[in-house]
Amino acid sequence: QVQLVESRGGLVQPGGSLRLSCAASASGSVFTIWAMGWFRQAPGQQRELVAAITSGGSTNYADSVKDRFSISRDNAKNTVYLEMNSLKPEDTAIYYCNADLSYYEGRVHYTRRAYWGQGTQVTVSS
């Protein structure tokens, strides 16, 4: 029942900005989100962590995006945002939302694990 709904990416020129959002939902279930974040993957490369934020607000960023990207959450909406500034061509990738959560389905408890969005393309080019 868990699904992650990501906003569209887009084509941005170098130095530009773009905001991504991802909303977690669990229709028919009740869940607890431990953390949410964004990963990215360029063609032929490994998927890598971009940024993550816990339910308590602690954040973690890849060195390559520190001071350029900012991750935040709206807990009431179970939504995570990634504000990307000063974009570089090296940021071009498919960005995947990730949620680390546990949930109840009826009276059955499912322990925490990661869930993934479908991915959204971000292209930084002139």
Side-chain angles (χ1 to χ4, degrees):
Q1 300 293 324
V2 177
Q3 58 182 353
L4 305 180
V5 181
E6 302 162 328
S7 64
R8 63 178 293 272
L11 175 62
V12 186
Q13 65 180 11
S17 299
L18 185 67
R19 189 174 84 157
L20 302 179
S21 66
C22 173
S25 66
S27 182
S29 302
V30 58
F31 60 91
T32 299
I33 299 177
W34 297 73
M36 297 185 74
W38 290 91
F39 289 70
R40 67 186 181 187
Q41 187 170 22
Q45 299 184 355
Q46 298 287 324
R47 187 173 300 186
E48 64 177 357
L49 173 69
V50 178
I53 185 169
T54 70
S55 59
S58 298
T59 59
N60 186 38
Y61 297 92
D63 288 340
S64 60
V65 306
K66 288 180 179 178
D67 301 319
R68 297 192 298 119
F69 291 9
S70 180
I71 190 167
S72 61
R73 286 187 62 185
D74 184 333
N75 291 330
K77 297 180 179 179
N78 294 320
T79 299
V80 64
Y81 304 93
L82 184 67
E83 188 75 37
M84 302 183 291
N85 302 305
S86 302
L87 283 162
K88 305 175 181 179
E90 308 92 89
D91 296 316
T92 297
I94 299 175
Y95 285 69
Y96 295 90
C97 180
N98 174 267
D100 178 11
L101 60 84
S102 60
Y103 70 100
Y104 282 89
E105 190 165 289
R107 301 177 68 90
V108 179
H109 181 242
Y110 295 85
T111 55
R112 61 187 287 184
R113 75 170 182 89
Y115 294 83
W116 294 93
Q118 292 184 344
T120 185
Q121 177 71 46
V122 174
T123 302
V124 184
S125 176
S126 298

